[in-house]
Amino acid sequence: MIGLNKIGFFLILLLSSYAVCQSKESKLIRKNNDARFIQYTTDRCYSRSIFVYENFVYTANSNGSVYKTDLKSDSSVNILQGSSFEELRDLYYHNGILTAVQSGTTGKLIRTNTKRLLGEYAAKNDQWKQLFIDGVDLKDAVGFLMGDPIEGKFQLFKSTDYGINWLRCEGTVDAMEGEAGFAASGTNVQVINDSTFVFVSGGKKSRFFRSNDRGKSWLTTSLPYMNSESSGAFSICMIDTLNGVIVGGDYKNPDLCMNTCFYTDDGGKFWMNAETQTRGYRSCVFYSQGVFYCCGTNGIDYSTDGGQNWKPFANGIYMALYADSQKLYATRPNGSFQIFELIEK
């Protein structure tokens, strides 16, 4: 009888959570149905990474292309036209140079200016031969790169020259069985400042990792995601050394909205479950003008209270986000993205 009561309580909790997730369509969602839509290519591809600089939007795509879209004319061009690359999963920019991240079976950083391919970077020895890159981040001259475990250890690299060259981090991190990174939007890693790196893992074990000394030593915190090959933490966004948000879930069960988002106010020593969850699995979280935004395969949600409570923002399939001081940019399937007005806090 006790067991049945526990099962009944769990079902009530699950149904209540489902009801919250299926809340009525808001005025904001209806408004955002008409947000500016741009089709930058007719190729059947999608972008896991988007970057905006001045009046141009750059997307790194699943077919190995990098498109540059002029927002004034809505015209687009593939900067890597004539080149052949595997799926690109991340993109970062510095001083006129774009670097697209290729995961695949051999990690590569593909460097371009805003018009053409400049070259490729891979480590000269065998350390990148089997490297699957999950994400890269750059803050000023300092960069951090994380890849899936090889021989039981996460592959961690750093740069001090704006991502031109990379050296292995001195501190090593052992991966647990079935634990890896999700290269869903290139945002499972972050450089908080010139000495602090963080990243998150998922799978059969999900954890938060932090180094305060450029990768010489690492602190870890377990995250209470469900243990499966398709679930865990997918994206992290720290707005300073103490406050931040992690989003994720189960990409094979994208509408399950229990334990999808956690927030911290102590630098990641402890992560608290959001009081009002996102509407399901989320692959990217971004912060702009006092508001967090996160996206997944059933929409975009936002939070104005540091990730404690989430509200619907837009419906649809979205893979990656970027925001400047005025607009939110979100990639969609089939070579497209949308541009939204930011929430006024």
Side-chain angles (χ1 to χ4, degrees):
M1 183 63 69
I2 294 175
L4 290 176
N5 286 338
K6 287 184 177 179
I7 292 172
F9 175 77
F10 175 77
L11 289 175
I12 291 172
L13 180 65
L14 185 61
L15 290 172
S16 298
S17 189
Y18 178 81
V20 171
C21 290
Q22 301 299 318
S23 57
K24 292 182 179 180
E25 187 177 66
S26 68
K27 292 181 180 179
L28 183 59
I29 284 183
R30 291 197 295 272
K31 173 186 175 183
N32 283 334
N33 284 338
D34 299 323
R36 185 179 177 186
F37 178 90
I38 293 180
Q39 186 87 42
Y40 59 86
T41 179
T42 57
D43 294 341
R44 295 184 62 84
C45 66
Y46 57 87
S47 173
R48 296 179 188 265
S49 186
I50 184 169
F51 181 82
V52 182
Y53 183 71
E54 294 181 339
N55 205 50
F56 297 94
V57 176
Y58 300 89
T59 53
N61 297 284
S62 56
N63 64 354
S65 62
V66 172
Y67 273 89
K68 172 185 177 182
T69 300
D70 187 334
L71 293 178
K72 291 183 178 179
S73 63
D74 285 2
S75 60
S76 302
V77 61
N78 179 12
I79 298 173
L80 301 183
Q81 186 71 39
S83 303
S84 178
F85 295 104
E86 296 179 32
E87 181 175 6
L88 303 178
R89 300 196 179 209
D90 200 358
L91 185 69
Y92 63 90
Y93 174 90
H94 171 71
N95 197 26
I97 303 298
L98 286 160
T99 303
V101 179
Q102 175 181 297
S103 296
T105 54
T106 300
K108 285 183 180 179
L109 303 180
I110 299 156
R111 295 169 58 79
T112 82
N113 59 20
T114 58
K115 296 181 179 180
R116 61 182 177 82
L117 174 69
L118 296 178
E120 304 172 31
Y121 175 85
K124 295 179 180 179
N125 54 36
D126 289 339
Q127 63 184 359
W128 282 26
K129 189 174 182 180
Q130 296 178 322
L131 179 61
F132 186 98
I133 302 174
D134 291 299
V136 180
D137 192 32
L138 194 73
K139 187 175 181 65
D140 299 325
V142 179
F144 174 58
L145 180 153
M146 172 262 195
D148 274 352
I150 297 177
E151 296 181 353
K153 295 185 182 297
F154 282 103
Q155 302 300 294
L156 309 174
F157 296 84
K158 63 182 177 181
S159 173
T160 56
D161 59 4
Y162 301 95
I164 297 173
N165 295 287
W166 296 85
L167 297 173
R168 188 180 292 276
C169 291
E170 293 94 328
T172 61
V173 176
D174 293 331
M176 296 186 178
E177 183 179 355
E179 181 184 22
F182 286 114
S185 61
T187 54
N188 63 340
V189 306
Q190 186 179 352
V191 177
I192 298 177
N193 53 46
D194 63 2
S195 61
T196 308
F197 304 158
V198 296
F199 72 96
V200 291
S201 66
K204 294 183 178 180
K205 182 67 178 178
S206 187
R207 291 187 288 172
F208 164 81
F209 304 84
R210 176 177 178 135
S211 173
N212 296 319
D213 52 15
R214 291 190 182 179
K216 293 179 181 179
S217 60
W218 292 91
L219 304 172
T220 66
T221 304
S222 292
L223 299 171
Y225 284 99
M226 291 187 298
N227 298 326
S228 75
E229 292 181 355
S230 58
S231 64
F234 279 73
S235 178
I236 183 170
C237 181
M238 299 292 296
I239 60 175
D240 53 39
T241 57
L242 296 177
N243 299 280
V245 165
I246 288 173
V247 298
D250 187 344
Y251 74 84
K252 290 186 177 179
N253 296 284
D255 295 324
L256 184 62
C257 54
M258 296 177 65
N259 297 340
T260 58
C261 172
F262 300 89
Y263 66 96
T264 185
D265 59 9
D266 63 3
K269 296 176 183 177
F270 184 75
W271 291 89
M272 294 163 283
N273 206 335
E275 295 175 20
T276 305
Q277 291 286 322
T278 64
R279 290 174 293 161
Y281 153 75
R282 294 293 177 259
S283 61
C284 182
V285 59
F286 205 92
Y287 179 84
S288 180
Q289 307 299 306
V291 180
F292 282 100
Y293 301 85
C294 65
C295 70
T297 51
N298 66 6
I300 301 173
D301 300 314
Y302 74 97
S303 172
T304 57
D305 59 6
Q308 297 180 51
N309 294 279
W310 295 86
K311 297 178 181 179
F313 183 84
N315 288 335
I317 301 173
Y318 298 93
M319 277 77 72
L321 300 173
Y322 184 87
D324 55 25
S325 61
Q326 296 180 325
K327 305 287 186 180
L328 177 71
Y329 305 81
T331 63
R332 301 203 62 170
N334 300 319
S336 64
F337 62 85
Q338 273 186 285
I339 306 175
F340 301 93
E341 298 291 334
L342 292 178
I343 294 291
E344 292 186 10
K345 187 176 178 182

